[in-house]
């Protein structure tokens, strides 16, 4: 993995939202949803992004997709900065960068059949025509565990897990290189979650995909990710290899987050850590720099109260 090229490079990314304006149209307060995040994703790997609700992880994903314009910083894909590109210039990158969202029902147009939903991106990017396009869609359905007979059905006729499989097939329809998985299993039944994650791993291996995997389920993130970044308050506080992060967490927020994982074995049950606020060493500051504490393991140490 270390020999693979850097596909996604996020450098000091910031996304601030206005919470209100005065009578002159000036911002009266600002929500710093993402506030100086930097990381890289190598081709073929899965980078997991975890944190509590409101930590900014989904906003990072939407910035990578250019669904949001950045307040500051830059996202480069395959060496190309994306912030200055207009919609026409972005179109080739839209094909190479796809997404899978949390709620498969709201992300699928209920008035379109499965065939239309999956073939729509093909039409936009000029991939296949006529019967060839239908066969391509049928082949994608087979890849995600659905059948040809589902081509002419509509989203409401499927279960949540099946709808998410349709969303995955749609994302793969234009043969992307990078997929932002924004909590793709959190709306699914527990019995289905593992099936979908295993399928994503199989598809990654078959098509050489690179993933950003945003999720709440910490145990599932460990299973699918090569490296994991932990977000708190719009910032990355720790980045490490999957096993290293879970076995040797350093930042107190990471330790508290991992202590919330539910253990089914009472003998291995975690002692829940409740944070009342960071010490002077780890408190919140205007800037935060990740420092390497061991090979591939980075921690934010310059937080101050």
């Amino acid at each position: 993995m270390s020999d693979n090229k850097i596909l996604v490079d996020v450098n000091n990314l910031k996304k601030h939202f206005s919470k209100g304006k005065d009578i002159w149209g000036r911002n009266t307060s600002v929500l710093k949803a993402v506030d100086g995040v930097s990381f890289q994703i190598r081709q073929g790997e899965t980078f997991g992004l975890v944190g509590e609700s409101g930590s900014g992880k989904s906003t990072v994903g939407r910035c990578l997709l250019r669904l949001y314009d950045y307040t500051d910083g830059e996202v480069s894909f395959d060496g190309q900065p994306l912030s200055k590109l207009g919609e026409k210039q972005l179109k080739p990158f839209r094909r190479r960068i796809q997404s899978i969202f949390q709620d498969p029902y709201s992300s699928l147009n209920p008035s379109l059949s499965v065939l239309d939903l999956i073939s729509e991106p093909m039409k936009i990017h000029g991939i296949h025509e006529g019967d060839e396009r239908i066969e391509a869609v049928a082949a994608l359905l087979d890849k995600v565990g659905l059948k040809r007979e589902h081509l002419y059905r509509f989203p409401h006729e499927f279960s949540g897990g099946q709808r998410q499989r349709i969303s995955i097939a749609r994302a793969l329809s234009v043969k992307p290189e990078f997929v932002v998985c924004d909590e793709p299993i959190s709306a699914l039944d527990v019995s289905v979650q593992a099936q979908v994650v295993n399928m994503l791993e199989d598809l990654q291996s078959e098509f050489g995909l690179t993933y950003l995997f945003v999720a709440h389920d910490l145990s599932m993130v460990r299973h699918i990710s090569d490296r994991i970044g932990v977000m708190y308050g719009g910032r990355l506080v720790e980045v490490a290899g999957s096993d290293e992060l879970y076995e040797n967490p350093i930042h107190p927020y990471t330790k508290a987050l991992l202590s919330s994982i539910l253990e089914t074995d009472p003998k291995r049950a975690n002692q829940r850590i409740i944070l009342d606020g960071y010490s002077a060493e780890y408190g919140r500051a205007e800037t935060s720099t990740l420092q390497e504490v061991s090979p591939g393991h980075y921690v934010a140490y310059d937080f101050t109260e």
Side-chain angles (χ1 to χ4, degrees):
M1 188 67 66
S2 60
D3 295 332
N4 291 359
K5 71 174 183 179
I6 295 171
L7 186 64
V8 179
D9 189 359
V10 181
N11 183 29
N12 196 34
L13 179 66
K14 297 182 180 180
K15 178 58 183 175
H16 301 168
F17 295 95
S18 172
K19 295 173 65 177
K21 296 180 181 293
D22 59 22
I23 59 173
W24 294 281
R26 297 176 299 195
N27 291 335
T28 55
S29 60
V30 173
L31 172 65
K32 298 180 179 180
V34 178
D35 199 26
V37 167
S38 299
F39 61 89
Q40 297 173 330
I41 306 177
R42 294 189 177 276
Q43 190 171 42
E45 81 168 329
T46 298
F47 186 85
L49 205 55
V50 301
E52 62 191 308
S53 295
S55 61
K57 57 190 186 299
S58 289
T59 303
V60 169
R62 289 172 184 266
C63 287
L64 267 59
L65 292 164
R66 268 295 303 271
L67 296 178
Y68 292 150
D69 290 327
Y70 327 136
T71 302
D72 199 3
E74 186 57 86
V75 174
S76 297
F77 180 79
D78 200 13
Q80 173 67 57
L82 300 182
S83 65
K84 303 294 191 295
L85 300 182
E87 277 303 315
K88 186 175 181 180
Q89 296 168 306
L90 272 173
K91 187 174 180 179
F93 291 96
R94 299 285 190 207
R95 176 176 176 177
R96 300 174 69 188
I97 306 173
Q98 287 293 304
S99 59
I100 304 166
F101 292 109
Q102 177 178 355
D103 184 356
Y105 192 72
S106 63
S107 65
L108 298 175
N109 188 332
S111 65
L112 297 181
S113 68
V114 170
L115 174 61
D116 292 333
L117 286 166
I118 298 176
S119 64
E120 185 176 34
M122 295 180 178
K123 295 177 185 177
I124 293 172
H125 292 282
I127 302 173
H128 303 306
E129 294 289 343
D131 291 342
E132 184 182 359
R133 185 176 291 159
I134 296 174
E135 292 305 315
V137 173
L140 280 170
L141 288 181
D142 181 65
K143 292 289 185 185
V144 299
L146 296 176
K147 300 178 180 179
R148 187 185 187 94
E149 65 192 57
H150 294 138
L151 280 171
Y152 300 99
R153 297 184 184 177
F154 292 84
H156 72 271
E157 300 179 71
F158 296 92
S159 67
Q162 289 174 320
R163 286 196 289 264
Q164 194 62 293
R165 290 171 187 268
I166 295 168
S167 296
I168 293 169
R170 182 179 61 177
L172 298 181
S173 65
V174 292
K175 301 179 181 178
E177 300 168 46
F178 176 56
V179 181
V180 175
C181 305
D182 186 6
E183 308 222 31
I185 60 172
S186 62
L188 307 180
D189 292 340
V190 174
S191 59
V192 179
Q193 290 180 355
Q195 297 175 22
V196 172
V197 166
N198 289 335
M199 182 182 65
L200 287 172
E201 289 183 312
D202 292 341
L203 293 170
Q204 181 180 39
S205 177
E206 181 174 354
F207 296 111
L209 299 170
T210 304
Y211 291 145
L212 173 70
F213 195 88
V214 178
H216 278 102
D217 190 329
L218 300 173
S219 58
M220 199 62 76
V221 170
R222 179 178 186 177
H223 174 73
I224 194 173
S225 302
D226 298 294
R227 293 185 302 129
I228 297 174
V230 180
M231 287 197 68
Y232 170 76
R235 297 175 182 168
L236 275 175
V237 296
E238 191 161 0
V239 177
S242 178
D243 290 338
E244 169 69 12
L245 185 80
Y246 279 71
E247 294 170 6
N248 184 34
I250 295 176
H251 198 281
Y253 178 73
T254 305
K255 293 178 180 178
L257 198 64
L258 295 180
S259 76
S260 68
I261 297 176
L262 180 63
E263 282 283 359
T264 55
D265 183 354
K267 296 179 181 179
R268 299 175 56 193
N270 292 328
Q271 182 176 354
R272 185 67 186 274
I273 300 173
I274 305 297
L275 293 179
D276 294 326
Y278 291 146
S279 64
E281 181 182 8
Y282 289 102
R284 187 167 175 91
E286 288 302 315
T287 61
S288 171
T289 302
L290 292 172
Q291 299 180 11
E292 190 169 27
V293 294
S294 63
H297 195 155
Y298 299 84
V299 182
Y301 273 107
D302 61 344
F303 281 65
T304 57
E305 288 183 326

